[in-house]
Amino acid sequence: TQATAFPDEPRTALKMKLAAPAKFTVALRVPGWLEPGALRLAVNGEAVAASAGPGAFAEVTREWKDGDALTAELPMKLHTEMLPNTNTYVAVFYGPLLLAAKLGSEGLVEGDFHSGTSMPAKDKLPAAQIPVIVRPVSEIAEHIAQVKGEPLVFSTRDLCKPADVTLVPISRIYDERYSIYFPLMTAAKWEEAKRQWAVEEQRERELLRRTVDEIRCGEQQPEMDHRIKSERSKNAWNTAAGRAFREAVNGWFSYEMTVDGQSPMTLSCTYWGSDKGPREFDILVDRTVVATQAVDELKLGEFVEVAYPIPESLTRGKDEVTVTFQAKKNKIA
Protein backbone atom coordinates (compact mmCIF):
# COMPACT_ATOMS: atom_id res chain seq x y z
CA THR A 1 0.00 0.00 0.00
CA GLN A 2 1.36 3.41 -0.97
CA ALA A 3 0.75 6.37 1.33
CA THR A 4 1.79 9.81 0.11
CA ALA A 5 0.87 13.49 0.12
CA PHE A 6 3.18 14.18 -2.80
CA PRO A 7 3.84 16.82 -4.02
CA ASP A 8 2.80 18.77 -0.93
CA GLU A 9 5.30 16.60 0.92
CA PRO A 10 8.38 15.34 -0.96
CA ARG A 11 8.18 11.75 0.19
CA THR A 12 6.25 8.50 -0.21
CA ALA A 13 5.89 5.30 1.85
CA LEU A 14 5.24 1.70 0.78
CA LYS A 15 3.76 -0.51 3.49
CA MET A 16 3.93 -4.29 3.17
CA LYS A 17 1.06 -6.63 3.90
CA LEU A 18 2.31 -10.23 4.06
CA ALA A 19 0.79 -13.45 5.36
CA ALA A 20 4.33 -14.65 6.08
CA PRO A 21 7.83 -13.16 5.83
CA ALA A 22 9.26 -13.28 2.28
CA LYS A 23 12.51 -12.26 0.62
CA PHE A 24 12.17 -10.19 -2.55
CA THR A 25 13.37 -7.00 -4.21
CA VAL A 26 11.45 -3.75 -4.31
CA ALA A 27 12.61 -1.51 -7.17
CA LEU A 28 11.79 2.20 -6.99
CA ARG A 29 12.31 4.37 -10.04
CA VAL A 30 14.42 7.43 -9.22
CA PRO A 31 12.78 10.47 -10.87
CA GLY A 32 14.77 12.10 -13.63
CA TRP A 33 14.31 15.53 -12.02
CA LEU A 34 15.98 14.43 -8.75
CA GLU A 35 19.56 15.56 -8.23
CA PRO A 36 22.14 12.75 -8.21
CA GLY A 37 22.56 11.36 -4.70
CA ALA A 38 19.52 13.17 -3.31
CA LEU A 39 17.28 10.10 -2.87
CA ARG A 40 17.03 8.84 0.71
CA LEU A 41 15.54 5.41 1.49
CA ALA A 42 14.65 3.94 4.87
CA VAL A 43 13.03 0.73 6.09
CA ASN A 44 11.11 1.13 9.32
CA GLY A 45 12.97 4.40 9.89
CA GLU A 46 16.48 2.98 9.38
CA ALA A 47 18.44 4.26 6.37
CA VAL A 48 19.31 1.83 3.57
CA ALA A 49 21.62 2.31 0.61
CA ALA A 50 20.22 4.06 -2.48
CA SER A 51 22.92 4.04 -5.13
CA ALA A 52 20.88 4.45 -8.32
CA GLY A 53 20.95 7.73 -10.18
CA PRO A 54 18.08 9.74 -11.71
CA GLY A 55 16.14 7.75 -14.30
CA ALA A 56 17.29 4.37 -12.95
CA PHE A 57 15.83 2.00 -10.33
CA ALA A 58 16.95 1.86 -6.71
CA GLU A 59 16.61 -1.72 -5.43
CA VAL A 60 16.04 -2.84 -1.87
CA THR A 61 16.40 -6.59 -1.33
CA ARG A 62 15.62 -8.09 2.06
CA GLU A 63 13.29 -10.35 3.94
CA TRP A 64 10.13 -8.34 4.33
CA LYS A 65 7.67 -8.80 7.19
CA ASP A 66 4.07 -7.78 7.57
CA GLY A 67 3.89 -4.09 8.45
CA ASP A 68 7.36 -3.18 7.14
CA ALA A 69 7.46 0.29 5.61
CA LEU A 70 9.86 1.49 2.91
CA THR A 71 10.01 5.29 2.73
CA ALA A 72 11.58 7.41 0.00
CA GLU A 73 12.54 11.05 0.47
CA LEU A 74 12.44 12.98 -2.83
CA PRO A 75 13.74 16.48 -2.09
CA MET A 76 12.66 19.07 -4.65
CA LYS A 77 14.64 22.09 -5.78
CA LEU A 78 14.01 25.05 -8.04
CA HIS A 79 15.42 24.74 -11.53
CA THR A 80 14.83 26.23 -14.97
CA GLU A 81 14.20 24.84 -18.44
CA MET A 82 14.41 26.71 -21.73
CA LEU A 83 11.57 26.70 -24.24
CA PRO A 84 12.65 24.25 -26.99
CA ASN A 85 14.37 25.83 -29.99
CA THR A 86 14.90 29.22 -28.38
CA ASN A 87 17.18 30.88 -25.86
CA THR A 88 14.85 33.77 -25.04
CA TYR A 89 12.07 32.04 -23.03
CA VAL A 90 12.46 30.12 -19.78
CA ALA A 91 10.19 28.11 -17.49
CA VAL A 92 10.64 27.57 -13.75
CA PHE A 93 10.18 24.17 -12.08
CA TYR A 94 10.12 22.99 -8.49
CA GLY A 95 11.14 19.35 -8.75
CA PRO A 96 8.74 17.97 -11.40
CA LEU A 97 6.23 20.80 -10.97
CA LEU A 98 5.92 23.47 -13.64
CA LEU A 99 5.36 26.78 -11.86
CA ALA A 100 3.12 29.49 -13.27
CA ALA A 101 2.75 33.15 -12.40
CA LYS A 102 -0.74 34.05 -11.18
CA LEU A 103 -1.98 37.04 -13.18
CA GLY A 104 -5.51 37.42 -11.83
CA SER A 105 -8.91 37.52 -13.52
CA GLU A 106 -9.69 41.24 -13.50
CA GLY A 107 -12.25 42.13 -16.16
CA LEU A 108 -13.21 38.49 -16.79
CA VAL A 109 -16.33 36.53 -15.85
CA GLU A 110 -16.81 32.79 -15.50
CA GLY A 111 -18.32 32.50 -18.97
CA ASP A 112 -15.07 33.77 -20.49
CA PHE A 113 -13.43 30.49 -19.49
CA HIS A 114 -16.16 28.15 -20.74
CA SER A 115 -17.53 28.24 -24.27
CA GLY A 116 -18.99 25.75 -26.71
CA THR A 117 -16.90 27.28 -29.50
CA SER A 118 -13.33 28.48 -29.79
CA MET A 119 -12.75 32.18 -29.42
CA PRO A 120 -9.88 34.63 -29.17
CA ALA A 121 -8.74 35.59 -25.69
CA LYS A 122 -10.83 38.32 -24.11
CA ASP A 123 -9.60 41.33 -22.14
CA LYS A 124 -5.98 40.42 -22.67
CA LEU A 125 -3.51 42.09 -20.37
CA PRO A 126 -1.32 44.70 -22.03
CA ALA A 127 2.02 43.17 -22.99
CA ALA A 128 3.80 45.54 -20.63
CA GLN A 129 1.97 43.87 -17.70
CA ILE A 130 3.13 40.35 -18.60
CA PRO A 131 6.06 39.29 -16.39
CA VAL A 132 9.49 39.35 -18.00
CA ILE A 133 12.59 38.00 -16.28
CA VAL A 134 15.42 40.56 -16.25
CA ARG A 135 18.12 38.39 -14.66
CA PRO A 136 20.48 35.84 -16.25
CA VAL A 137 19.16 32.26 -16.17
CA SER A 138 21.91 31.25 -13.74
CA GLU A 139 20.58 33.75 -11.15
CA ILE A 140 16.85 32.96 -11.37
CA ALA A 141 16.61 30.42 -8.54
CA GLU A 142 18.30 32.72 -6.01
CA HIS A 143 15.62 35.37 -6.64
CA ILE A 144 12.71 33.02 -5.79
CA ALA A 145 11.67 32.25 -2.21
CA GLN A 146 9.13 29.85 -0.76
CA VAL A 147 6.20 31.56 0.98
CA LYS A 148 6.28 30.71 4.68
CA GLY A 149 3.67 28.11 5.63
CA GLU A 150 2.74 27.38 2.00
CA PRO A 151 5.03 24.62 0.68
CA LEU A 152 4.16 25.03 -3.01
CA VAL A 153 3.76 28.80 -3.20
CA PHE A 154 6.73 30.96 -4.18
CA SER A 155 7.39 34.66 -4.62
CA THR A 156 10.00 36.31 -6.83
CA ARG A 157 12.29 39.06 -5.55
CA ASP A 158 13.86 41.63 -7.90
CA LEU A 159 13.47 39.13 -10.71
CA CYS A 160 10.66 40.36 -12.96
CA LYS A 161 9.43 43.45 -14.75
CA PRO A 162 7.04 45.22 -14.43
CA ALA A 163 6.59 43.63 -10.97
CA ASP A 164 7.46 40.50 -9.06
CA VAL A 165 4.97 37.63 -9.11
CA THR A 166 3.58 34.71 -7.12
CA LEU A 167 4.36 31.26 -8.55
CA VAL A 168 2.30 28.11 -7.98
CA PRO A 169 2.05 24.73 -9.77
CA ILE A 170 0.21 25.17 -13.06
CA SER A 171 -2.22 22.40 -12.06
CA ARG A 172 -3.49 24.60 -9.23
CA ILE A 173 -4.51 27.57 -11.34
CA TYR A 174 -8.15 27.61 -12.39
CA ASP A 175 -10.14 30.35 -14.13
CA GLU A 176 -7.30 32.84 -13.99
CA ARG A 177 -4.69 34.32 -16.29
CA TYR A 178 -1.19 32.88 -15.94
CA SER A 179 2.28 32.83 -17.50
CA ILE A 180 4.51 29.78 -17.68
CA TYR A 181 7.22 30.66 -20.23
CA PHE A 182 8.90 33.93 -19.30
CA PRO A 183 10.70 36.15 -21.82
CA LEU A 184 14.31 36.89 -20.94
CA MET A 185 15.41 40.52 -21.34
CA THR A 186 17.67 43.08 -19.80
CA ALA A 187 15.92 45.86 -17.90
CA ALA A 188 16.92 48.33 -20.63
CA LYS A 189 15.57 46.06 -23.38
CA TRP A 190 12.28 45.72 -21.49
CA GLU A 191 11.87 49.51 -21.37
CA GLU A 192 12.43 49.68 -25.13
CA ALA A 193 10.02 46.80 -25.80
CA LYS A 194 7.36 48.39 -23.57
CA ARG A 195 7.20 51.44 -25.85
CA GLN A 196 6.88 49.23 -28.95
CA TRP A 197 4.13 47.11 -27.34
CA ALA A 198 2.08 50.22 -26.62
CA VAL A 199 2.00 51.10 -30.32
CA GLU A 200 1.14 47.54 -31.38
CA GLU A 201 -1.60 47.20 -28.77
CA GLN A 202 -3.27 50.41 -29.87
CA ARG A 203 -3.44 48.99 -33.39
CA GLU A 204 -4.78 45.65 -32.08
CA ARG A 205 -7.47 47.38 -30.00
CA GLU A 206 -8.63 49.28 -33.07
CA LEU A 207 -8.73 46.07 -35.13
CA LEU A 208 -10.64 44.24 -32.38
CA ARG A 209 -13.18 47.07 -32.22
CA ARG A 210 -13.87 46.63 -35.94
CA THR A 211 -13.83 42.81 -36.06
CA VAL A 212 -17.14 40.97 -36.59
CA ASP A 213 -15.71 37.44 -36.97
CA GLU A 214 -12.33 35.75 -37.00
CA ILE A 215 -11.03 32.38 -38.24
CA ARG A 216 -7.62 30.92 -37.40
CA CYS A 217 -6.88 28.86 -40.49
CA GLY A 218 -5.41 25.42 -39.97
CA GLU A 219 -6.60 25.07 -36.35
CA GLN A 220 -9.15 22.29 -35.90
CA GLN A 221 -11.71 23.87 -33.57
CA PRO A 222 -11.94 27.30 -35.24
CA GLU A 223 -12.29 25.62 -38.64
CA MET A 224 -15.02 23.29 -37.38
CA ASP A 225 -16.83 26.22 -35.77
CA HIS A 226 -16.83 27.96 -39.14
CA ARG A 227 -18.06 24.81 -40.94
CA ILE A 228 -15.06 24.34 -43.19
CA LYS A 229 -15.52 22.65 -46.58
CA SER A 230 -12.70 21.85 -48.99
CA GLU A 231 -11.29 19.86 -51.88
CA ARG A 232 -7.61 18.94 -52.14
CA SER A 233 -6.65 21.07 -49.14
CA LYS A 234 -4.61 20.37 -46.03
CA ASN A 235 -3.60 22.09 -42.83
CA ALA A 236 -0.06 22.17 -41.47
CA TRP A 237 2.28 24.03 -39.13
CA ASN A 238 4.69 26.70 -40.36
CA THR A 239 7.62 26.53 -37.94
CA ALA A 240 9.22 29.76 -39.12
CA ALA A 241 5.95 31.67 -38.78
CA GLY A 242 4.91 29.93 -35.56
CA ARG A 243 1.37 29.40 -36.82
CA ALA A 244 -0.89 26.84 -38.39
CA PHE A 245 -2.08 27.43 -41.95
CA ARG A 246 -4.25 25.87 -44.64
CA GLU A 247 -3.57 25.52 -48.35
CA ALA A 248 -5.30 23.92 -51.32
CA VAL A 249 -3.29 22.60 -54.27
CA ASN A 250 -5.40 23.00 -57.41
CA GLY A 251 -8.39 22.97 -55.04
CA TRP A 252 -10.31 25.16 -52.62
CA PHE A 253 -11.51 25.63 -49.04
CA SER A 254 -14.30 27.72 -47.55
CA TYR A 255 -15.65 28.99 -44.22
CA GLU A 256 -19.02 30.32 -43.06
CA MET A 257 -18.35 33.74 -41.54
CA THR A 258 -20.52 36.19 -39.64
CA VAL A 259 -21.16 39.62 -41.18
CA ASP A 260 -22.94 42.79 -40.16
CA GLY A 261 -25.59 43.14 -42.83
CA GLN A 262 -26.09 46.82 -42.04
CA SER A 263 -22.49 47.96 -42.49
CA PRO A 264 -19.76 47.82 -45.14
CA MET A 265 -17.56 44.76 -44.64
CA THR A 266 -13.86 44.18 -45.31
CA LEU A 267 -12.11 40.79 -45.42
CA SER A 268 -8.61 40.95 -43.93
CA CYS A 269 -6.25 38.04 -44.68
CA THR A 270 -2.85 37.30 -43.16
CA TYR A 271 -0.13 35.70 -45.29
CA TRP A 272 3.37 34.53 -44.43
CA GLY A 273 5.62 36.84 -46.41
CA SER A 274 8.27 34.17 -47.09
CA ASP A 275 5.86 31.87 -48.95
CA LYS A 276 6.73 31.52 -52.61
CA GLY A 277 5.95 29.42 -55.65
CA PRO A 278 2.78 29.00 -57.71
CA ARG A 279 0.46 30.57 -55.11
CA GLU A 280 -2.34 32.29 -56.98
CA PHE A 281 -6.03 32.12 -56.13
CA ASP A 282 -9.41 33.80 -56.21
CA ILE A 283 -11.24 34.92 -53.08
CA LEU A 284 -15.01 34.57 -53.30
CA VAL A 285 -17.85 35.77 -51.10
CA ASP A 286 -21.04 33.78 -51.71
CA ARG A 287 -19.63 32.52 -55.01
CA THR A 288 -18.71 36.01 -56.26
CA VAL A 289 -15.02 36.77 -56.85
CA VAL A 290 -13.99 39.82 -54.78
CA ALA A 291 -10.21 39.57 -55.30
CA THR A 292 -7.40 37.61 -56.91
CA GLN A 293 -4.19 37.22 -54.93
CA ALA A 294 -0.68 36.01 -55.73
CA VAL A 295 1.66 35.19 -52.83
CA ASP A 296 5.34 35.11 -53.80
CA GLU A 297 7.77 36.42 -51.18
CA LEU A 298 5.58 39.39 -50.23
CA LYS A 299 7.88 40.31 -47.32
CA LEU A 300 10.53 37.85 -46.17
CA GLY A 301 10.28 36.68 -42.57
CA GLU A 302 7.18 38.73 -41.72
CA PHE A 303 3.41 38.46 -41.77
CA VAL A 304 1.61 40.49 -44.40
CA GLU A 305 -2.02 41.58 -44.00
CA VAL A 306 -4.11 42.38 -47.07
CA ALA A 307 -7.56 43.93 -46.81
CA TYR A 308 -10.25 43.27 -49.43
CA PRO A 309 -13.33 45.54 -49.41
CA ILE A 310 -16.50 43.47 -49.99
CA PRO A 311 -19.21 44.98 -52.20
CA GLU A 312 -22.15 45.92 -49.98
CA SER A 313 -24.52 44.04 -52.26
CA LEU A 314 -22.92 40.75 -51.12
CA THR A 315 -23.53 41.31 -47.39
CA ARG A 316 -26.53 43.65 -47.15
CA GLY A 317 -29.25 42.14 -44.96
CA LYS A 318 -27.22 38.97 -44.25
CA ASP A 319 -25.94 37.42 -41.05
CA GLU A 320 -23.47 35.03 -42.70
CA VAL A 321 -21.59 34.59 -45.96
CA THR A 322 -19.40 31.83 -47.39
CA VAL A 323 -15.80 32.89 -47.92
CA THR A 324 -13.93 30.65 -50.38
CA PHE A 325 -10.27 30.48 -51.39
CA GLN A 326 -10.10 28.88 -54.85
CA ALA A 327 -6.74 28.06 -56.42
CA LYS A 328 -6.15 28.97 -60.04
CA LYS A 329 -5.61 25.96 -62.33
CA ASN A 330 -2.55 24.01 -61.14
CA LYS A 331 -1.84 26.69 -58.53
CA ILE A 332 -2.03 26.86 -54.73
CA ALA A 333 -4.50 28.78 -52.56
Side-chain angles (χ1 to χ4, degrees), residues 212-285:
V212 177
D213 198 3
E214 176 183 19
I215 168 72
R216 297 191 298 278
C217 299
E219 295 186 23
Q220 181 184 30
Q221 194 61 51
E223 291 194 326
M224 290 176 62
D225 294 341
H226 289 83
R227 298 183 292 283
I228 181 174
K229 296 183 177 64
S230 70
E231 283 187 7
R232 293 182 295 278
S233 86
K234 66 176 182 179
N235 66 326
W237 180 261
N238 185 324
T239 302
R243 284 196 197 175
F245 69 96
R246 179 168 292 279
E247 66 179 10
V249 180
N250 197 27
W252 58 272
F253 54 95
S254 71
Y255 305 109
E256 303 295 318
M257 300 200 72
T258 301
V259 293
D260 178 353
Q262 308 304 314
S263 304
M265 291 283 99
T266 297
L267 176 68
S268 178
C269 295
T270 303
Y271 304 105
W272 180 235
S274 294
D275 281 345
K276 59 183 178 180
R279 299 178 181 273
E280 189 176 354
F281 50 93
D282 290 329
I283 301 173
L284 301 88
V285 172

Side-chain angles (χ1 to χ4, degrees), residues 13-52:
L14 300 174
K15 191 171 183 179
M16 308 300 169
K17 185 176 182 179
L18 297 167
K23 186 176 182 179
F24 55 87
T25 298
V26 177
L28 294 96
R29 182 167 173 79
V30 184
W33 51 264
L34 203 62
E35 289 195 336
L39 176 67
R40 295 288 181 268
L41 297 180
V43 175
N44 300 333
E46 295 186 10
V48 295
S51 58

Side-chain angles (χ1 to χ4, degrees), residues 55-319:
F57 284 88
E59 296 185 347
V60 180
T61 302
R62 59 178 282 133
E63 184 176 76
W64 299 92
K65 301 183 297 297
D66 187 52
D68 281 348
L70 171 62
T71 58
E73 295 284 338
L74 306 164
M76 294 188 277
K77 292 186 67 175
L78 289 164
H79 63 98
T80 59
E81 189 172 304
M82 302 302 296
L83 177 68
N85 305 315
T86 179
N87 60 359
T88 56
Y89 285 83
V90 67
V92 180
F93 286 80
Y94 183 60
L97 306 174
L98 174 62
L99 301 181
K102 293 167 64 69
L103 300 183
S105 55
E106 183 180 355
L108 300 174
V109 297
E110 185 175 352
D112 293 329
F113 296 92
H114 310 283
S115 172
T117 61
S118 67
M119 57 187 179
K122 292 184 178 180
D123 293 306
K124 292 187 289 185
L125 292 180
Q129 292 183 27
I130 304 301
V132 170
I133 289 179
V134 292
R135 299 277 182 179
V137 173
S138 61
E139 298 178 10
I140 290 176
E142 64 190 69
H143 288 271
I144 300 175
Q146 205 165 48
V147 174
K148 189 175 181 180
E150 300 186 67
L152 297 180
V153 180
F154 301 83
S155 60
T156 66
R157 299 171 301 180
D158 299 322
L159 179 66
C160 300
K161 291 284 188 180
D164 281 305
V165 294
T166 297
L167 301 171
V168 298
I170 180 62
S171 60
R172 298 190 178 184
I173 292 185
Y174 181 73
D175 284 6
E176 183 176 354
R177 299 183 182 94
Y178 60 87
S179 281
I180 52 174
Y181 279 107
F182 300 92
L184 290 167
M185 296 183 183
T186 63
K189 182 68 175 176
W190 179 79
E191 292 289 350
E192 178 185 331
K194 184 170 64 168
R195 290 188 290 271
Q196 180 181 340
W197 292 332
V199 174
E200 293 174 351
E201 284 166 351
Q202 177 60 37
R203 176 183 170 278
E204 185 175 312
R205 282 194 294 270
E206 175 60 19
L207 181 62
L208 184 62
R209 183 186 67 79
R210 298 170 52 209
T211 297
V212 177
D213 198 3
E214 176 183 19
I215 168 72
R216 297 191 298 278
C217 299
E219 295 186 23
Q220 181 184 30
Q221 194 61 51
E223 291 194 326
M224 290 176 62
D225 294 341
H226 289 83
R227 298 183 292 283
I228 181 174
K229 296 183 177 64
S230 70
E231 283 187 7
R232 293 182 295 278
S233 86
K234 66 176 182 179
N235 66 326
W237 180 261
N238 185 324
T239 302
R243 284 196 197 175
F245 69 96
R246 179 168 292 279
E247 66 179 10
V249 180
N250 197 27
W252 58 272
F253 54 95
S254 71
Y255 305 109
E256 303 295 318
M257 300 200 72
T258 301
V259 293
D260 178 353
Q262 308 304 314
S263 304
M265 291 283 99
T266 297
L267 176 68
S268 178
C269 295
T270 303
Y271 304 105
W272 180 235
S274 294
D275 281 345
K276 59 183 178 180
R279 299 178 181 273
E280 189 176 354
F281 50 93
D282 290 329
I283 301 173
L284 301 88
V285 172
D286 281 352
R287 299 189 295 278
T288 297
V289 176
V290 297
T292 298
Q293 180 71 54
V295 178
D296 191 1
E297 295 187 334
L298 298 177
K299 197 169 186 180
L300 294 178
E302 296 184 29
F303 291 110
V304 176
E305 290 190 15
V306 181
Y308 309 98
I310 301 173
E312 284 194 60
S313 60
L314 297 178
T315 60
R316 189 180 300 117
K318 297 180 181 179
D319 296 322

